[in-house]
């Protein structure tokens, strides 16, 4: 456990410096470098943080899926701590998507919420993983929490593409928003800024994940020590 | 070669009997639940009257006739909300009964593959919900004045396939939630978001069916629901072992 | 610029949420690290893996 903690601290330090450099640079690019989008104007710049947040939320849920499988296969609590941490971060970034989506939609579509496919999918996905977090608090003991939430984590992630596809069928397609001229797709400078923001957010997610995993592992250490004290005292 | 009676073996040691044992274990558990329900009728009564109450509340909430709308405009939503919530009630009850009678441990100790328990429960839950719907649909036809006989074949297909898919996921989540402290709250919280695809496809297919459209126009939705059912039945079979551990 | 207030509130919200979470994590980490050190110092063998 201590070796893992040391590894995580090193990882955190490296990531912290990278994010400390890239985040201000990303903000500079978003506000000073990229041109205004032709139809939506300045408010389109929300997408440079909105879409990376969505990507990072999905990445978090993927980490939950993989860690849950690894936990059930190995029964090492480390994997459960990773899954719990990733789920918490996934819900956090999903919430960011759900706040920024309506803030973008209001000036562009004239309404806060439109039940369009991707926002609806994100909302449903957030509910799935909020239920995952609630389940953890309602389990009778630590091992049961780990085991049952691992099952929900696996099933929940398997459901992600199905939910997305079903909402697409229900609602039709997400409007294409990345255009600065009449041409197809993103302008090169917009694409570069977008990829920069994606990289920055991914690194930021990894930093928060490393910190949260270390917190979880320290909590396990505290429980272990307390348990040892109780047993040796008795 | 003389015949010898097989000595009792654990399921792992008797490969030729194992598949049959799992198959008969599922049917035994299903029959146990059905027999219990036939004796007490607790779950059926609760689900049926709850469905009826929901239909009554909907008739107050949506006065669609005065708005100039037909039942086919809002009926799919009404039927599916009713079905979803009464199904959750049945699913919850199927495991709550085991917990109340201290049978959860007994189920875990069954000398069969846990997946057989899942399949047995899943089969029983699907049958319960379908039986309730067999009574609720004709009553909804009387209350809301739509011609059930005209849409019966399509509606039966849509409801059956979607109920089976819903029950596959619901049985797994009911088994998970029954082991926690607030199981009655947790099952809807877990199941409703995850079962969104089934609800969406069920509502869409029912709307097309009630509007009198042919099967070709909603057949793909029924096929999608069937795929959902298969995926989550397989997931349940593979993961139920972990849920049943003590 | 049109809709600048929406842009402002979107980014402000993102930063409040992310910075708030980062701060809360740092505070919790610091507190639990010192708790672990205190508990380990009470153990007879000192630092154990």
């Amino acid at each position: 456990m201590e070796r893992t903690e040391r590894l995580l601290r090193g990882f955190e330090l490296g990531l912290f410096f990278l994010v400390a450099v890239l985040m201000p640079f990303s903000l500079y690019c978003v506000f000073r470098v990229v041109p205004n989008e032709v139809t939506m104007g300045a408010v389109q710049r929300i997408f440079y943080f909105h879409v990376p947040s969505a990507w990072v939320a999905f990445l978090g849920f993927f980490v939950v899926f993989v860690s849950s499988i690894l936990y059930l296969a190995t029964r090492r609590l480390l994997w459960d701590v990773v899954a719990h941490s990733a789920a918490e971060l996934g819900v956090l970034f999903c919430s960011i998507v759900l706040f920024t989506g309506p803030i973008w939609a209001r000036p562009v579509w004239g309404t806060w919420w439109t039940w369009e496919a991707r926002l609806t999918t994100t909302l449903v996905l957030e509910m799935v993983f909020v239920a995952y977090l609630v389940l953890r608090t309602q389990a009778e003991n630590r091992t049961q929490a780990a085991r049952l939430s691992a099952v929900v984590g696996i099933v929940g992630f398997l459901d992600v593409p199905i939910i997305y596809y079903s909402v697409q069928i229900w609602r039709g397609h997400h409007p294409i928003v990345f255009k600065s001229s009449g041409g197809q797709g993103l302008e090169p400078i917009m694409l570069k800024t977008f990829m920069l923001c994606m990289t920055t957010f991914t690194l930021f997610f990894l930093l928060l994940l490393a910190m949260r995993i270390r917190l979880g592992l320290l909590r396990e250490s505290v429980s272990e020590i307390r348990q040892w004290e109780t047993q040796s005292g008795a | 070669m003389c015949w010898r009676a097989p000595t009792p073996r654990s399921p792992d040691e008797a490969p030729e009997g194992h598949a049959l044992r799992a198959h008969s274990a599922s049917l035994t558990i299903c029959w146990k639940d059905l027999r219990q329900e036939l004796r007490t009728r607790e779950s059926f009564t609760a689900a049926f009257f709850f469905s009826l109450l929901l239909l009554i509340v909907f008739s107050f909430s949506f006065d669609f006739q005065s708005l100039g709308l037909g039942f086919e405009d809002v009926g799919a939503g009404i039927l599916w909300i009713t079905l979803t919530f009464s199904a959750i009630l049945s699913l919850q009850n199927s495991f709550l009964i085991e917990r109340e009678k201290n049978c959860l441990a007994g189920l875990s100790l069954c000398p069969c593959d846990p997946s057989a328990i899942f399949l047995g429960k899943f089969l029983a839950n699907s049958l319960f919900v379908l039986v309730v719907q067999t009574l609720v649909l004709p009553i909804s036809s009387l209350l809301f004045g739509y011609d059930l006989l005209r849409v019966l074949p399509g509606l039966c297909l849509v409801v059956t396939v979607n109920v089976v898919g819903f029950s596959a996921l619901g049985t797994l989540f009911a088994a998970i939630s029954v082991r926690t402290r607030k199981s009655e709250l947790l099952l809807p919280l877990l199941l409703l978001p995850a079962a969104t695809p089934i609800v969406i496809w069920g509502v869409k297919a029912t709307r097309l069916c009630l509007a009198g459209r042919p099967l070709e126009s909603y057949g793909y939705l029924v096929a999608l629901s069937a795929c959902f059912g298969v995926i989550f039945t397989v997931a349940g079979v593979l993961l139920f072992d972990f849920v049943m551990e003590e | 610029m049109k809709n600048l207030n929406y842009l402002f509130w979107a980014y402000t919200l993102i930063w409040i949420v992310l910075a708030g979470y980062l701060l809360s994590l740092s505070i919790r980490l610091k507190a639990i690290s010192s708790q672990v050190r205190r508990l380990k110092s009470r153990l007879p063998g000192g630092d154990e893996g």
Side-chain angles (χ1 to χ4, degrees):
Chain A
M1 203 77 103
E2 273 195 10
R3 201 176 64 139
T4 316
E5 212 206 307
R6 272 200 297 271
L7 252 162
L8 284 168
R9 285 191 89 128
F11 204 48
E12 273 169 46
L13 205 60
L15 283 168
F16 179 77
F17 283 115
L18 271 173
V19 171
V21 167
L22 286 174
M23 192 63 88
F25 184 57
S26 303
L27 282 168
Y28 172 76
C29 291
V30 168
F31 285 100
R32 301 291 291 175
V33 173
V34 290
N36 260 354
E37 207 270 342
V38 154
T39 44
M40 283 171 285
V43 82
Q44 179 268 346
R45 293 168 201 260
I46 291 175
F47 271 84
Y48 294 104
F49 273 33
H50 172 85
V51 177
S53 299
W55 148 249
V56 154
F58 278 90
L59 179 63
F61 299 143
F62 177 69
V63 171
V64 173
F65 173 66
V66 172
S67 313
S68 298
I69 293 176
L70 287 169
Y71 173 75
L72 291 178
T74 64
R75 300 306 171 111
R76 286 192 65 198
L77 276 175
L78 167 66
W79 295 119
D80 178 62
V81 170
V82 173
H84 187 188
S85 309
E88 216 173 83
L89 288 173
V91 167
L92 179 82
F93 281 97
C94 253
S95 306
I96 290 175
V97 174
L98 293 170
F99 290 145
T100 55
I103 292 175
W104 170 83
R106 176 66 177 155
V108 174
W109 289 331
T111 180
W112 293 106
W113 188 265
T114 64
W115 293 109
E116 66 86 25
R118 285 183 196 176
L119 270 181
T120 308
T121 304
T122 311
L123 181 63
V124 173
L125 213 55
E126 174 150 49
M127 293 295 106
V128 170
F129 286 92
V130 163
Y132 170 97
L133 293 172
V134 171
L135 170 67
R136 297 192 69 100
T137 63
Q138 298 302 317
E140 307 220 320
N141 58 57
R142 180 73 183 86
T143 326
Q144 194 194 63
R147 192 169 31 86
L148 296 181
S149 55
V151 173
V152 171
I154 292 169
V155 171
F157 186 79
L158 284 177
D159 215 3
V160 166
I162 304 174
I163 291 171
Y164 180 69
Y165 183 56
S166 68
V167 176
Q168 284 266 327
I169 287 178
W170 176 53
R171 266 303 181 231
H173 298 289
H174 190 82
I176 297 163
V177 291
F178 286 113
K179 274 189 205 166
S180 71
S181 62
Q184 292 292 313
L186 282 170
E187 277 212 346
I189 187 66
M190 283 181 157
L191 181 63
K192 282 181 185 154
T193 307
F194 176 66
M195 293 314 293
L196 172 67
C197 291
M198 289 283 263
T199 310
T200 309
F201 261 66
T202 307
L203 292 172
F204 192 38
F205 165 76
L206 291 172
L207 169 63
L208 291 176
L209 185 65
M211 290 173 76
R212 182 61 185 81
I213 291 171
R214 193 158 62 89
L215 180 67
L217 292 176
L218 285 169
R219 279 184 181 158
E220 294 300 325
S221 297
V222 168
S223 303
E224 269 175 34
I225 294 170
R226 287 222 163 107
Q227 208 172 12
W228 186 90
E229 280 185 339
T230 314
Q231 283 170 355
S232 60
Chain B
M1 192 171 113
C2 61
W3 179 84
R4 247 195 355 210
T7 51
R9 292 181 189 185
S10 75
D12 298 322
E13 290 174 78
E16 70 280 3
H18 183 48
L20 184 65
R21 210 169 290 156
H23 174 69
S24 69
S26 308
L27 290 175
T28 307
I29 285 164
C30 179
W31 179 232
K32 168 194 83 73
D33 281 5
L34 288 174
R35 241 187 21 234
Q36 183 170 347
E37 190 54 33
L38 281 168
R39 217 180 288 140
T40 61
R41 283 181 279 276
E42 269 174 24
S43 184
F44 170 80
T45 315
F48 174 69
F49 282 102
F50 181 62
S51 302
L52 215 55
L53 282 166
L54 279 174
L55 289 177
I56 293 167
V57 168
F58 278 124
S59 72
F60 300 143
S61 313
F62 299 110
D63 193 8
F64 53 88
Q65 279 155 351
S66 69
L67 291 167
L69 297 167
F71 181 73
E72 57 272 11
D73 296 308
V74 292
I78 289 173
L79 293 177
W80 275 94
I81 293 174
T82 308
L83 188 154
T84 305
F85 285 99
S86 73
I88 287 176
L89 209 63
S90 299
L91 288 163
Q92 221 158 44
N93 206 51
S94 77
F95 281 95
L96 272 177
I97 267 180
E98 308 284 2
R99 190 176 76 178
E100 280 161 16
K101 300 190 177 181
N102 296 316
C103 293
L104 276 179
L107 263 184
S108 311
L109 293 169
C110 267
C112 64
D113 206 88
S115 57
I117 302 170
F118 169 76
L119 289 171
K121 283 283 186 188
F122 159 53
L123 210 60
N125 289 336
S126 304
L127 284 168
F128 286 150
V129 176
L130 286 171
V131 164
V132 170
Q133 293 310 306
T134 310
L135 290 172
V136 168
L137 284 175
I139 291 172
S140 73
S141 154
L142 289 171
L143 290 175
F144 294 104
Y146 70 95
D147 187 0
L148 180 64
L149 289 173
R150 180 177 60 88
V151 300
L152 192 61
L155 199 57
C156 280
L157 178 67
V158 170
V159 168
T160 305
V161 172
N162 283 280
V163 160
V164 167
F166 193 84
S167 296
L169 193 56
T171 303
L172 182 64
F173 282 166
I176 288 172
S177 66
V178 81
R179 288 159 186 281
T180 61
R181 288 190 289 260
K182 300 239 177 11
S183 57
E184 292 90 344
L185 287 176
L186 207 51
L187 179 59
L189 205 60
L190 283 171
L191 184 55
L192 284 172
T196 306
I198 276 280
V199 174
I200 288 176
W201 293 327
V203 168
K204 216 172 153 89
T206 305
R207 187 179 300 132
L208 292 168
C209 177
L210 289 174
R213 302 281 288 275
L215 181 62
E216 291 76 42
S217 62
Y218 56 89
Y220 74 102
L221 294 164
V222 175
L224 286 169
S225 301
C227 291
F228 184 97
V230 167
I231 290 169
F232 288 103
T233 304
V234 171
V237 163
L238 294 173
L239 295 170
F240 205 70
D241 205 348
F242 301 108
V243 175
M244 290 302 283
E245 276 177 33
E246 286 291 322
Chain C
M1 256 197 285
K2 207 175 79 163
N3 302 325
L4 203 56
N5 53 336
Y6 288 102
L7 188 64
F8 169 77
W9 282 112
Y11 275 85
T12 306
L13 211 65
I14 293 173
W15 282 111
I16 288 172
V17 169
L18 290 179
Y21 187 74
L22 186 62
L23 193 66
S24 131
L25 259 185
S26 309
I27 292 171
R28 283 186 287 165
L29 267 169
K30 205 170 163 185
I32 207 160
S33 298
S34 63
Q35 187 182 20
V36 168
R37 267 195 306 272
R38 261 195 335 267
L39 285 170
K40 279 185 173 174
S41 67
R42 278 176 11 196
L43 291 176
D47 276 15
E48 294 281 334

